[in-house]
Amino acid sequence: MELESGSTNRQSRLKLYKSTLILAYQSFGVVYGDLSTSPIYVYASTFSGRLRLHEDDDEILGVLSLVFWTLTLIPLCKYIVFVLGADDNGEGGTFALYSLLCRRAKLGLLRPSHSTDYDISSQDSCLLIKETRASSLLKEFFDKHHSSRVVLLLFVILGTSMVIADGILTPSMSVLSAVYGIKTKAGGLHDSYAALITCLILVGLFALQHIGTHRVGFLFAPIILLWLISISGVGIYNIIQWNPRVVSALSPYYVYKLFKLTGKDGWTSLGGIVLCITGAEAMFADLGHFSQLSIRIAFTAIIYPSLILAYMGEAAYLSKHKEDLQRSFYRAIPEVVFWPVFIIATLATVVASQAVISATFSIISQCWALKCFPRVKIINTSNQMHGQIYIPEVNWTLMVFCLLVVIGFRDTDMIANAYGLTVIIVMFVTTCLMFLVIVMVWKRNILAAFIFVTVFGFVELLYLSSCLAKVAKGGWIPLVFSLIVLSVMYIWHYGTLQKQSFESHNRTSLDMFLSLGPNVGINRVRGVGLIYTNVLSGIPPMFSHFVTNFPAFHQVLIFVTFQFLTTPRVSANQRFIVSRIGPAEFRLYRCIVRFGYKDARKDSYAFETDLIETVRVFLQHESDDGDARDSVSEMPVNQHESDSVSEMPVNQHESDCLRDDVSMRVENGSGAGLARCRRVRFCGVDNSKELEYLEDAREAGLAYMMGNTCVLARETSSFVKKFAINIVYGFLRRNCRSPSTALGVPHTSLIEVGMAYRV
């Protein structure tokens, strides 16, 4: 038995090692494209300013030393050692950190409104750590000052908008820099022709996005690996051929010597050096597709040493060929392998661009799910990989902006200034959020958090100050773009919250709704009516308005509420919460459908099939679970609370009747909202007639009802609120995809109810 157990453990370990190595291999084409292509433009951008006046060996070795220590401190120490451990159930990125803080530290404006949503992740419940004094003080501060939550959300949106800006600048900078390599062999080539070639490559790249990265993904990793082998080999050749002494530049003494010799000119050059870590954030942002171990193995074993060799080789070449500072990368390639390396470089920049474009689609999808971005069309391009999506509106918008940047500037130096500012702001946002995670989620000593933010924050602020000094020389591009995106995202989020707040405060109580029946002569017609609403309790104002003016509705009504939670995914058995509204003979139900921000939405037919089946199972369980209906009942706690639910079985018999696959609660008609209830199942209920009604209604057909609302600010509102709600939010709502289209509701079965909300 011991031999069999040992053999099984050995096989499982081998399987784990194999899967980890496969993931590490795949990560080259998805995660490291941007970071691995940075040697193409780092030295040229660094020596493009006043640093070109300093061409001695000490300055060149000083720049190499800065590149080495920047790569060591930020990607290796910060991301590989620390940040990768701050995943949100396997997901990474700016919004993942924020959702982790929202759910585990109860901060932020994106907290779920349903109490059970915090229990959606089993991982959260088992990672409870005792509060520290520092975490308690910070939590108290955020609870006391609501404005701090707003500032935190704006800070996160700033980082997110910079990631989206990166989706414009990475393709522009990478492809243009690679194409400019032609000028090494064709010096008379005009910049306009290089820009035209770049534009053609970019148009082709964006035109292929709709087929999905999975169709060409198998090519990505070999291209990047071939690229890394090429630059490593060229680097080793240049070190041996031109200046083996560059190895001494790994000493931080050369950093000190660089600033001593160059002064302010050395500080301004930091805007070019920061480009050596472009793409480092992708290690964290793309964590959901891989594992922490696979990303760490790929970086430390292959990426890091390859990049160091490439930069050392280029510095060795420059120390003997100072006249080639502006074209150092391609000049440093030996003549015999120039064209193969040039072709591989162009392909590698396309791979790098593809990875950033895909990451932009992913983060916009997350923002949309968390109500921070207008509705867009999201197409899943792979049945196997849920994260591979395509967003047509975003794709063509990115392409247009990329072409404008390339045609408008045609200058890699100005684009580099914009690129560097974008990269360092995203990293600084991550550092600040990590401070909160260390203190409030990990519950570590605040001294450890201060050391983290002091070391890495100081380095990043140093680079940020240099990049901000170049705002007039191209750095304004990401600032303007991110300001527009930030405004759109925040106003959309604010307007959506105002709309939902109006609906919540103006919902109709169940008692009042039921009293309408005899007064207005409501008729029931065959079929199932799905009422889409944001209201979690009571009757939405849209449906009350409809019934008052048109007193008829379907024989089975299901009020459907979608909740997008601050957790990456919701398992299938936690997707639906089904409840009954009123007595059984009314045949009114409520279904809360929960999604994580990374979950893929099904088409309407599959969704309605799952929904009706869930209600059927719910009724079946009521009938089959026991004999004592009256022994289990709803236990109101506070008639004025909204209908949150907790799991508190009344007795052992109830506990035996509970099921895990479909959640259930029963709503009564008392009060403006629902009482706080125990989650229960009625045992021994004969629901055979209800099941027959449900099947009969299902055969008769489904109808969908949604509100077509016009949200306007009150007359007494401030000018800023009127501008945000009436003009900006109104414009976005009119020009984005309608809710029915976004949810895939068939137009032939849709009923839209018009209403005006004054918020």
Side-chain angles (χ1 to χ4, degrees), residues 535-588:
V535 175
L536 290 171
S537 64
I539 306 300
M542 167 269 298
F543 187 70
S544 302
H545 178 67
F546 173 80
V547 172
T548 304
N549 291 275
F550 192 80
F553 53 81
H554 295 82
Q555 66 188 92
V556 175
L557 275 187
I558 305 175
F559 292 89
V560 181
T561 301
F562 290 95
Q563 279 194 313
F564 293 95
L565 311 180
T566 53
T567 190
R569 296 176 190 87
V570 176
S571 60
N573 66 338
Q574 295 178 311
R575 179 81 64 205
F576 298 94
I577 297 180
V578 179
S579 61
R580 185 194 298 281
I581 301 178
E585 60 268 20
F586 285 8
R587 298 183 296 280
L588 303 178

Side-chain angles (χ1 to χ4, degrees), residues 97 100-102 104-105 127-129 135 435-444:
L97 282 176
L100 188 67
L101 289 168
C102 288
R104 296 278 298 282
L127 291 175
L128 297 177
I129 305 173
S135 64
F435 174 82
L436 295 176
V437 168
I438 293 171
V439 176
M440 305 185 72
V441 177
W442 293 350
K443 307 293 195 306
R444 299 296 174 84

Side-chain angles (χ1 to χ4, degrees), residues 35-36 38-40 43 64 67-69 71-72 227-244 246-247 249-250 276 299-318 328-329 332-334:
L35 185 61
S36 63
S38 57
I40 296 175
Y43 280 110
L64 172 61
V67 168
F68 170 76
W69 286 106
L71 279 170
T72 302
W227 165 252
L228 291 170
I229 293 171
S230 300
I231 61 175
S232 300
V234 171
I236 293 172
Y237 169 81
N238 285 328
I239 292 170
I240 297 172
Q241 177 72 19
W242 301 113
N243 190 357
V246 295
V247 177
L250 302 185
C276 73
F299 182 82
T300 54
I302 305 294
I303 300 293
Y304 181 72
S306 298
L307 290 176
I308 297 302
L309 287 173
Y311 287 116
M312 289 175 64
E314 193 171 346
Y317 176 84
L318 276 177
S328 58
F329 178 79
I333 300 173

Side-chain angles (χ1 to χ4, degrees), residues 204-241:
L205 174 64
F206 283 100
L208 290 174
Q209 292 300 309
H210 70 282
I211 68 173
T213 57
H214 67 287
R215 299 186 188 276
V216 291
F218 70 94
L219 290 174
F220 288 2
I223 289 173
I224 295 300
L225 276 175
L226 192 57
W227 165 252
L228 291 170
I229 293 171
S230 300
I231 61 175
S232 300
V234 171
I236 293 172
Y237 169 81
N238 285 328
I239 292 170
I240 297 172
Q241 177 72 19

